[in-house]
Structure formats: structure tokens, C-alpha cells
Amino acid sequence: MSLSDATKMQMMKCLSCAAEGDMGRRYECIVCGESVTYCGECYDGGKNVPSDKHKYYHPMKAIYNREFFELYFLGEELVNGEAPQSYKCAFCDELGFTAEELQLHVLEKHSGHSDAPKLLDILEQMSEEKKATEIRCQEKSRGGLSYEVILAEPAPNVAVPKRPVTPGKNVSVEEIEQKLKAAEERRISLEARKMAEISIKLAKVEEATRKKDEITNEFITQTKEQLENKMETHVEKREAIISDMKEKLKIHAQEIEKTRETLEQQKANEQKAIEEKLKTAQALRDENIKKMLNRLKEHERRAEVVRQNKAQTQDMDGQQSPIASSG
């Protein structure tokens, strides 16, 4: 894109939403030029509003940047440096016409419409501008000449010359038949050219489909191989992790068994120590009980001796008392 084109794109502005700069896809009036520009979204939404200058039947030219052109036309070649155009009939809203096809359509279907002559003038002017060429000649050698054919740039802002409109009621039957015959011949020619273009497009579509299938199959194969490699790596890692976990569990079980044996040994030792302490305590208890019994027996003997001594003392005191009273 040249500097002037970039500057021109920056100056673009949608009349409806006021979007500026590179709109990706925009529509520009063939007659009014850049002053009537709509972004693709606004144009698709039916916001192409007529005015005193911009009429409802003015053809709108679609302009794409490279990204949108690839998106809409799938690598289709440019036509005279521009994207292929598709126009809509302003009278019946039928879509999909080239400029030549729209001209034939208006002649065949809407020749009696009041605005048909004006639209036909515009389409005729477009056809003349498309055919305009400049031929340059330059001698390259003694043997011949080399020609360079340059297509003239379209001039949408140039006022369309008006031709006198002949009222429909004054058109003779012969003139109508001639126009219809010429229109039929142009239609047949356009259909033949259109069929050839369709064949070329179909061949391109088939080639693009074939390449797409090749790319898809290659992608599927590569993805499958990558997934298989990942699965193998995953299985290997999984087996390694499981083996490591088994080894750790084995070591852990051995440690648990060792700890259990140690605890059982400690328990046995503590049980033995408790039993020894109980035996010692029982022996001490028996010894203490024996000593206490011996003390009780000794105490009882002493008590018996004291009792006997007391009884003897009392007996002796009873014997002495009668003797004293008799004297």
C-alpha cells in the first residue's frame, strides 16, 4: 500500500457509525465517490440512506483490505486490480449481478421504471470506463515492437453525462425488439463467460479442498504420532512412579514391622518388670503381715500376762481383807 493510499484510508469515514480508517470492508458510491462511504456492517444493516445527491439506485462498490479479501474470496485473483464486484438491483433488491448483468437485468425487467434510464446511464458510463485503455508503443529491436497496455483508473467522481430520455410510450416495437435481441446476445455471452469463470473457480475450490485435505491429513498423522509418543512417555513415567511407590511402601512396611517388634519387646520387658515388682511387693506385704501377726501375738501374750497378774493381785487383795476384819 502506498503512502497516498494509507493517507486516503485514514481519511475514510462511515456516514452511519462514523468509523474511521481501515474498516476492513467498506462500500463506496460509484457516482458520489468517497463522500458516500459505509462500513460493511452498516451497509449490510440497510443504513445506505439516500440524499439529494446520493440516489437510492446508485451502485455501491465493495472495497476490501487484504485480510478481508482473503476471507471472502479464498485466494481469488483481482479483476483489474480490484475485488470482483456484486451489485444489487435497486428496483427489485435481487442480488449477485456484475455491472453488465445488472444492465441487462434492468433492460429486461425494469425498462419501464421511471429511474431506469438514469441507472442505465450510470452502468453505461461504468462500462465505458472499464473498456478505456491506453496503448503505449516502444521499439525494442529491429525486428519488432513491444506494446504495454495500461488500464485507465476509474473516475467515480466525474459527473455522469445525461442523455435524453425517450419516453417509453414513444419507443417503437422494432427498437424494443432490437434492444431485447442485443440484450439476449449479451446475456448469452455473459452466461458463457460466467460458466467459464465458474469452472475456473470450481477448479480452484477443488485444488484448495485437496490442499486442505492434505494439510488436514498431515496434521492428523502428526497429531496422532505426537499423542502416541506422549502416551508412551506417560506410561513409562506412570510405571516408574508405581515402581517407586511400591519400593517406598515396601520400605515403609519393613519399618512398621520393625517398630512393631520393638514395641512388643518393650511391652514384654515392661510386663516382666511389672511382674517382678508385683512379686517383690507381694513378698514385702507377706513379710509385713507376718511381722504384724507376730506383734499381735506378742501383744496378746503380754496382755494375758498383765491380766493374769492383775487377777492374782485381786485374789491376794481379797484374801487379805477377811483376815484384817477378824482381827
Side-chain angles (χ1 to χ4, degrees), residues 21-74:
D22 184 5
M23 292 174 248
R25 175 173 63 100
R26 71 179 191 274
Y27 288 83
E28 183 178 299
C29 180
I30 293 290
V31 179
C32 306
E34 301 170 6
S35 61
V36 179
T37 300
Y38 292 92
C39 68
E41 185 175 352
C42 291
Y43 184 80
D44 294 341
K47 298 180 180 179
N48 180 16
V49 181
S51 63
D52 293 338
K53 179 182 177 182
H54 176 61
K55 305 302 181 182
Y56 72 96
Y57 52 81
H58 283 180
M60 297 293 289
K61 174 183 178 182
I63 303 174
Y64 306 82
N65 65 8
R66 173 56 57 181
E67 181 181 356
F68 272 73
F69 179 80
E70 294 294 337
L71 177 64
Y72 277 85
F73 295 97
L74 193 63

Side-chain angles (χ1 to χ4, degrees), residues 154-207:
N157 294 327
V158 176
V160 179
K162 303 296 181 180
R163 64 184 182 187
V165 180
T166 305
K169 60 182 180 180
N170 295 331
V171 178
S172 66
V173 175
E174 183 180 353
E175 289 176 344
I176 293 175
E177 289 178 352
Q178 289 177 355
K179 288 184 178 181
L180 290 175
K181 184 178 179 181
E184 179 65 17
E185 291 176 354
R186 286 195 296 268
R187 185 183 65 78
I188 293 172
S189 175
L190 285 172
E191 285 182 353
R193 188 176 66 182
K194 192 171 183 180
M195 290 300 296
E197 291 176 354
I198 290 174
S199 299
I200 295 172
K201 289 181 180 180
L202 287 175
K204 290 181 179 179
V205 169
E206 290 177 358
E207 180 65 17

